């Protein structure tokens, strides 16, 4: 038998820690790192008799995530116990949600890259970046829609530390940390789409202040469920599902799914392994070897022995909580990028950078509101302001000046009060003193001279002092206009209006 074709099917489960002040069911501080086992209590240690209580902020942030990912929010929900053994799971079960999750039936639209028309098919191709799989079917010619089946609330477990292969220790600081688990439908058809899905979700949830989304710290990680559709002699087969656990980088998602797809194809060809709905293989990803490794098998969800959490009553989610969550979502980053391009004519690079964080995008829009040239506002922020922030390792919220400073600076240049070169001096002084541009311009006597007669006198002086430049101009070297204009600006100490100076130099030379 010969394989006609095959395709990849991927669904993702993303676990994300939430930015609450306390843990999910106790008053212990919720933050990363620190001395092991110092932020614990009887509840998050699972000691006998300890009673968990729900944090309202926990549920609200879960609703924010759900609304941001276009989900329906349950008006009534509950918690369940999921039983399994692991050394850092102190209770022997995890408090989670099973059959009535907080959020259901959402979606995420993945922005795809357009490529030139294919020479063979004549059709336009749209793919994720670094695409290596089959061409994808798009939602509306630009986006690929991935359906979100559910988002449920649960608690994180502790952290096992294995030192030199000799000793194992457990840090319970992370135990009880509030999580959401985002479960998708198997809608992704390439490893690149799976990586792009996690990247898009990370951007949205960071934008909403739901999570830090720091992959290196493990507060966002992905389990990828992957199998293949294989057509052999006209008949369709499905390979067994593999769940690749705890992928903590976009690259590892892409590489692990790429390797696993090839492994499953080889296994199908050699052993005729086929899909069984009650069977799943749990795989790990060995980064150094670049291959997946079998960890365990699951025969069914009965293994987990789900029961209703008896210590937490089922509860209603109020309209007020849902409205608060909805008000916190606002405009999503991709929608904002499209609007900024349309309203202000900005480039893809401009809007990608300006929407890097919600704070930066709002800062830019505040500065652009009364600016006479929005593109120049963007340029000052991107080229000058962000350079300062990067150098000092700060965010836009740390900067001392306000959006109005940038607006006033751009308007001063557009009105001809100062030159662009002088603008950099004003910018540096703004950062140092927090003074507004008009005040700095006045104090330093920097206002541009636009009086034609005053500038003309300087032009005459410069032309008279540079006969060789005049000779070069007559010989066809028109670039001397710029050089002579520069000499005029130097003579005027930068105060001459550069546009008027250039026009007068050109006029004077042409008349000779």
């Amino acid at each position: 038998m010969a394989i006609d074709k095959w395709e990849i099917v991927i669904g993702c489960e993303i676990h994300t820690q939430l930015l609450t002040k306390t843990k999910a069911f106790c008053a212990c501080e919720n933050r990363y790192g620190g001395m092991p086992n110092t932020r614990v209590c009887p509840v998050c240690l699972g000691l006998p008799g300890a009673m968990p209580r729900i944090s309202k902020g926990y549920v609200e942030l879960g609703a924010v995530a759900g609304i941001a990912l276009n989900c329906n929010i349950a008006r009534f929900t509950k918690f369940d116990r999921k039983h399994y053994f692991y050394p850092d799971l102190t209770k022997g079960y995890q408090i989670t949600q099973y059959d009535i999750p907080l959020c259901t039936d959402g979606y995420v639209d993945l922005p795809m890259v357009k490529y030139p028309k294919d020479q063979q098919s004549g059709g336009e191709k749209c793919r994720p970046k670094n695409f290596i799989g089959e061409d994808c079917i798009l939602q509306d010619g630009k986006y690929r829609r991935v359906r979100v089946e559910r988002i449920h609330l649960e608690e994180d477990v502790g952290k096992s530390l294995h030192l030199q292969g000799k000793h194992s220790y457990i840090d319970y600081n992370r135990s009880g940390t509030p999580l959401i688990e985002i479960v998708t439908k198997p809608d992704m058809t390439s490893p690149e789409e799976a990586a792009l899905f996690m990247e898009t979700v990370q951007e949205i949830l960071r934008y909403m202040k739901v999570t830090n989304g720091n992959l290196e710290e493990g507060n966002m990680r992905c389990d990828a469920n992957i199998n293949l559709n294989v057509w052999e002699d006209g008949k369709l087969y499905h390979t067994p599902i593999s769940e690749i656990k705890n992928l903590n980088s976009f690259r590892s998602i892409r590489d692990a799914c790429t390797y696993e797809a090839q492994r499953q194809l080889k296994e199908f060809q050699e052993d005729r392994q086929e899909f069984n709905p009650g069977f799943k293989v749990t795989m790990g990803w060995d980064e150094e070897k670049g291959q997946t490794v079998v960890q365990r098998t699951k025969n069914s969800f009965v293994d987990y022995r789900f029961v209703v959490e008896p210590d937490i009553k089922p509860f209603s989610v109020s309209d007020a909580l849902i409205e608060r969550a909805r008000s916190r979502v606002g405009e999503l980053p991709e929608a904002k990028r499209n609007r900024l391009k349309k309203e202000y004519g900005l480039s893809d690079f401009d809007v990608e950078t300006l929407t890097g964080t919600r704070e930066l995008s709002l800062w830019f829009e505040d500065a652009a509101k009364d600016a006479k040239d929005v593109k120049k506002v963007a340029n000052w922020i991107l080229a000058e302001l962000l350079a300062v922030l990067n150098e000092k390792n700060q965010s836009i919220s740390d900067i001392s000046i306000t959006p109005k400073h940038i607006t006033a600076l751009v308007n001063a240049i557009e009105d001809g009060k100062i030159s662009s070169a002088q603008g950099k001096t004003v910018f540096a002084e703004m950062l140092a003193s927090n003074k507004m541009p008009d005040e700095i311009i006045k104090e330093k006597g920097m206002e541009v001279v636009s009086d034609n007669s005053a500038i003309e006198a300087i032009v005459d002086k410069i032309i008279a002092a540079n006969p060789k430049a005049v000779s070069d101009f007559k010989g066809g070297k028109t670039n001397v206009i710029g050089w002579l204009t520069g000499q005029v600006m130097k003579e005027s100490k930068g105060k001459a209006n550069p546009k008027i100076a250039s026009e007068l130099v050109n006029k004077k030379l042409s008349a000779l």
Side-chain angles (χ1 to χ4, degrees):
M1 288 187 171
I3 291 177
D4 301 323
K5 65 174 183 176
W6 60 279
E7 66 180 13
I8 300 172
V9 181
I10 301 175
C12 286
E13 300 171 9
I14 294 179
H15 298 80
T16 301
Q17 292 180 8
L18 302 184
L19 284 173
T20 56
K21 291 181 179 180
T22 64
K23 293 184 181 181
F25 304 111
C26 66
C28 291
E29 183 186 9
N30 174 29
R31 66 175 172 87
Y32 176 78
M35 183 72 71
N37 300 314
T38 56
R39 294 193 304 280
V40 294
C41 72
V43 174
C44 54
L45 286 175
L47 298 182
M51 294 292 288
R53 296 181 62 184
I54 307 172
S55 159
K56 288 184 179 179
Y58 175 29
V59 178
E60 187 169 323
L61 269 189
V64 171
I67 292 167
L69 301 187
N70 304 291
C71 292
N72 298 321
I73 309 301
R75 301 302 176 122
F76 176 82
T77 187
K78 65 181 177 68
F79 281 98
D80 303 275
R81 288 184 178 182
K82 177 182 179 181
H83 294 82
Y84 62 95
F85 171 78
Y86 209 71
D88 52 22
L89 185 65
T90 56
K91 298 187 288 286
Y93 61 85
Q94 179 189 34
I95 300 178
T96 182
Q97 293 189 303
Y98 178 44
D99 55 333
I100 311 179
L102 180 66
C103 316
T104 54
D105 299 325
Y107 64 86
V108 175
D109 285 338
L110 307 183
M112 313 303 266
V113 178
K114 282 196 173 183
Y115 287 79
K117 288 188 176 181
D118 180 58
Q119 292 180 352
Q120 293 182 343
S121 67
E124 197 168 44
K125 293 177 179 291
C126 291
R127 304 166 175 166
K129 295 176 182 177
N130 305 317
F131 188 84
I132 60 173
E134 295 293 326
D135 289 337
C136 51
I137 301 169
L138 301 184
Q139 173 72 14
D140 59 1
K142 186 178 178 183
Y143 297 94
R144 176 65 182 271
R145 178 161 292 182
V146 176
R147 293 170 295 165
V148 174
E149 180 179 304
R150 57 188 278 145
I151 302 175
H152 60 262
L153 307 173
E154 61 185 23
E155 62 177 342
D156 210 344
V157 298
K159 182 179 181 180
S160 296
L161 306 171
H162 308 289
L163 303 181
Q164 301 175 348
K166 296 180 180 180
H167 304 282
S168 292
Y169 301 89
I170 299 177
D171 177 8
Y172 288 113
N173 282 345
R174 195 176 70 180
S175 182
T177 295
L179 289 178
I180 53 172
E181 181 175 345
I182 303 164
V183 182
T184 78
K185 297 284 189 179
D187 287 348
M188 287 157 275
T189 61
S190 76
E192 290 76 20
E193 282 185 30
L196 181 59
F197 174 76
M198 188 171 184
E199 188 175 357
T200 304
V201 168
Q202 181 199 55
E203 178 187 53
I204 291 172
L205 297 187
R206 277 179 167 175
Y207 224 68
M208 301 302 126
K209 298 292 185 184
V210 167
T211 182
N212 281 330
N214 193 319
L215 305 180
E216 293 78 14
E217 293 179 359
N219 58 36
M220 178 177 268
R221 50 197 187 269
C222 177
D223 301 339
N225 292 275
I226 176 172
N227 74 327
L228 307 179
N229 291 332
V230 181
W231 284 265
E232 190 176 60
D233 293 334
K235 185 178 179 181
L236 173 62
Y237 297 89
H238 308 287
T239 62
I241 295 175
S242 294
E243 182 181 22
I244 312 173
K245 300 288 287 186
N246 293 325
L247 300 169
N248 62 356
S249 74
F250 307 134
R251 179 178 177 179
S252 66
I253 294 169
R254 186 192 66 196
D255 292 351
C257 290
T258 300
Y259 178 88
E260 180 60 18
Q262 294 295 331
R263 189 199 67 79
Q264 288 190 19
L265 183 64
K266 182 179 179 182
E267 183 179 71
F268 177 79
Q269 291 171 318
E270 293 176 351
D271 301 331
R272 314 300 300 172
Q273 293 272 0
E274 288 191 58
F275 173 76
N276 179 336
F279 179 81
K280 182 190 286 189
V281 181
T282 300
M283 311 290 286
W285 172 241
D286 190 321
E287 192 84 49
E288 290 186 7
K289 294 181 179 179
Q291 62 187 38
T292 54
V293 291
V294 176
Q295 292 182 331
R296 61 191 173 98
T297 60
K298 295 180 184 178
N299 288 320
S300 80
F301 280 101
V302 175
D303 290 349
Y304 290 129
R305 294 178 290 117
F306 281 102
V307 296
V308 175
E309 169 56 65
D311 292 336
I312 302 175
K313 292 181 179 179
F315 60 96
S316 297
V317 180
S318 68
D319 291 342
L321 184 146
I322 293 174
E323 285 309 307
R324 282 198 308 273
R326 197 177 304 281
S327 68
R328 292 175 64 170
V329 172
E331 190 175 36
L332 297 178
E334 179 66 9
K336 185 181 287 286
R337 283 191 284 269
N338 290 331
R339 180 175 60 79
L340 294 182
K341 283 194 288 187
K342 184 177 179 180
E343 284 187 14
Y344 301 127
L346 299 177
S347 68
D348 287 340
F349 172 80
D350 290 344
V351 297
E352 286 285 345
T353 309
L354 290 170
T355 58
T357 66
R358 190 171 194 163
E359 291 80 9
L360 179 59
S361 68
L362 294 173
W363 207 95
F364 161 72
E365 289 206 80
D366 200 3
K369 193 162 44 181
D370 298 317
K372 295 184 176 180
D373 190 324
V374 174
K375 175 63 177 173
K376 288 183 178 176
V377 167
N379 289 342
W380 276 97
I381 293 174
L382 296 171
E384 304 296 336
L385 188 58
L386 291 188
V388 172
L389 294 177
N390 290 336
E391 183 181 342
K392 295 182 178 181
N393 196 27
Q394 294 179 334
S395 68
I396 194 68
S397 58
D398 299 319
I399 200 73
S400 58
I401 63 172
T402 68
K404 294 187 185 305
H405 283 81
I406 296 295
T407 305
L409 176 60
V410 169
N411 289 349
I413 296 171
E414 287 301 294
D415 291 339
K417 291 182 179 180
I418 56 173
S419 65
S420 295
Q422 289 174 309
K424 293 194 175 185
T425 302
V426 174
F427 177 77
E429 181 61 27
M430 284 191 329
L431 292 177
S433 66
N434 284 347
K435 293 178 180 178
M436 293 298 290
D438 287 346
E439 186 180 354
I440 296 168
I441 292 166
K442 185 176 180 181
E443 285 180 355
K444 292 185 176 292
M446 297 173 70
E447 192 156 353
V448 164
V449 175
S450 297
D451 182 352
N452 282 29
S453 60
I455 298 173
E456 187 173 7
I458 299 173
V459 170
D460 288 340
K461 178 181 177 181
I462 294 299
I463 289 176
N466 293 279
K468 186 177 183 305
V470 174
S471 177
D472 288 344
F473 177 81
K474 289 180 177 180
K477 295 183 179 179
T478 57
N479 61 327
V480 299
I481 295 174
W483 183 82
L484 287 170
T485 301
Q487 296 305 303
V488 172
M489 297 303 297
K490 186 177 180 181
E491 179 68 21
S492 69
K493 296 183 171 57
K495 292 185 178 182
N497 185 306
K499 183 178 179 182
I500 295 174
S502 179
E503 289 174 351
L504 285 172
V505 168
N506 192 13
K507 180 181 176 182
K508 294 281 185 179
L509 289 176
S510 300
L512 293 175

